Amino acid sequence: MDLQIGDLLYKGKAKDVYQTNDPELVIIKFRDDITAGDGKKKDKLTKKGYYNSIISSKFFELLETSRVKTQYIKLLEPGLMLSHRLDMLPLEIIIRNIAAGSLVRKFPFKSRQEFEPPIIQIDYKSDEYHDPMLNDDIILALNLSTQEELKRIRAITLRINEVLKGFLKDKDIILTDFKIEYGKNYRGEIVLGDEISPDTCRLWDAQTFDVLDKDLFRKGESNVMEAYQQVASRILNSEDKNKWNLNF
Ligand code: UDP
């Protein structure tokens, strides 16, 4: 059966999800839109969708080889990702190796303080409620997931962090923190979905501590795409670069 793109299922702040003629498959389109602060700060950055889709696909492939189940199937072309359909949980799972961002603003942690073991934080994904931090009792009372699922989500998240942290360390990048989202497949299994990109991670140069992620946009800097390109350039091998015609 030839795959055909169908109706728009969901439009997010930076990605669109399309139905296909196979009910189990969706196509995720990575757009160039970038937002911060609940979508209040907005812009379009040329080729952001292109780079984020390639970076996400690299991370997903790496995780799949490390036995983490993901939504990802393949990139049809940069910007268009073929994926398994999931029912997404309205949870933002944040894992932190180093104190930064809202954690430092809200709690008396020292900036750049290291966490071993890492801190897992779960926020309610809701622009209306401004993504408030959850705890297990609230998650259970809102029926957002079960205790079993939470246990599984925490275990997979720690595993993902270990895999990505080690991979990035070899590329001279510190994985400070990142946000991931999970969904359930047609069998009811918890599967990693969404994206892993400089939009959703804090990535610092290991030598200079230069920021290589969306914090540049949050701070109004102009070199956002240069940083995203730098991440792509460091994490992709020559085979990946040839495949996507990238010459840096
Ligand atoms: N993050 C995200 N989407 C969100 C909130 C956070 O991708 O809606 C990511 C963010 O890029 C960072 C990590 O999760 O890598 C932790 O973010 P934090 O809670 O410090 O919030 P922020 O400072 O971004 O408001």
Side-chain angles (χ1 to χ4, degrees):
M1 182 170 69
D2 272 354
L3 185 76
Q4 275 165 13
I5 193 159
D7 293 341
L8 182 69
L9 272 178
Y10 171 82
K11 191 174 177 70
K13 290 200 281 280
K15 298 191 296 303
D16 299 328
V17 182
Y18 290 91
Q19 181 62 273
T20 69
N21 49 337
D22 181 334
E24 206 273 308
L25 302 180
V26 293
I27 292 174
I28 301 176
K29 180 175 181 198
F30 286 67
R31 305 198 316 268
D32 288 343
D33 301 276
I34 185 162
T35 68
D38 281 346
K40 280 189 218 95
K41 188 175 160 69
K42 284 187 204 171
D43 207 345
K44 259 191 206 304
L45 299 176
T46 306
K47 286 213 151 184
K48 192 199 60 129
Y50 184 98
Y51 282 109
N52 272 1
S53 70
I54 293 175
I55 294 167
S56 281
S57 101
K58 181 74 187 177
F59 287 146
F60 282 142
E61 282 172 10
L62 173 71
L63 290 168
E64 285 282 346
T65 59
S66 311
R67 296 181 313 281
V68 173
K69 213 174 164 70
T70 79
Q71 175 180 35
Y72 172 82
I73 300 171
K74 65 172 178 180
L75 267 195
L76 299 169
E77 62 183 72
L80 283 186
M81 188 179 281
L82 181 64
S83 304
H84 295 287
R85 186 186 177 134
L86 297 180
D87 281 327
M88 297 304 291
L89 304 173
L91 301 176
E92 300 199 336
I93 317 297
I94 294 165
I95 180 156
R96 303 173 182 275
N97 297 305
I98 301 184
S102 67
L103 197 73
V104 179
R105 291 196 296 274
K106 288 181 187 160
F107 301 99
F109 289 115
K110 288 200 294 289
S111 187
R112 294 197 193 166
Q113 175 178 344
E114 289 182 30
F115 300 121
E116 186 53 61
I119 290 180
I120 294 181
Q121 170 191 334
I122 307 184
D123 290 354
Y124 183 36
K125 186 178 161 99
S126 161
D127 283 342
E128 185 186 352
Y129 290 94
H130 308 290
D131 299 353
M133 199 184 291
L134 293 166
N135 70 19
D136 286 21
D137 285 358
I138 299 175
I139 293 172
L140 299 180
L142 284 173
N143 277 318
L144 300 178
S145 79
T146 66
Q147 195 69 264
E148 278 304 299
E149 286 165 353
L150 276 181
K151 205 174 146 196
R152 178 115 186 89
I153 283 172
R154 287 204 172 88
I156 308 172
T157 302
L158 287 169
R159 170 100 188 112
I160 293 170
N161 182 51
E162 284 313 306
V163 172
L164 296 182
K165 197 171 72 170
F167 172 78
L168 287 166
K169 186 165 183 262
D170 286 344
K171 319 287 176 198
D172 238 12
I173 295 175
I174 300 172
L175 180 58
T176 299
D177 59 34
F178 61 100
K179 181 266 309 178
I180 45 182
E181 295 180 25
Y182 292 92
K184 284 196 237 175
N185 66 10
Y186 67 98
R187 290 204 206 101
E189 296 162 328
I190 294 286
V191 176
L192 176 68
D194 194 45
E195 71 181 294
I196 307 179
S197 74
D199 270 10
T200 60
C201 301
R202 280 199 173 89
L203 304 168
W204 295 345
D205 182 285
Q207 305 303 323
T208 61
F209 291 98
D210 281 350
V211 171
L212 300 171
D213 60 64
K214 194 163 108 173
D215 268 350
L216 293 168
F217 174 74
R218 294 188 184 98
K219 286 189 251 154
E221 309 272 344
S222 59
N223 54 344
V224 186
M225 279 324 299
E226 284 85 345
Y228 283 39
Q229 244 188 63
Q230 178 62 227
V231 172
S233 168
R234 289 201 207 177
I235 69 169
L236 300 178
N237 58 32
S238 46
E239 199 184 315
D240 302 324
K241 288 180 189 172
N242 281 339
K243 189 167 167 194
W244 307 121
N245 274 320
L246 299 170
N247 45 10
F248 45 62

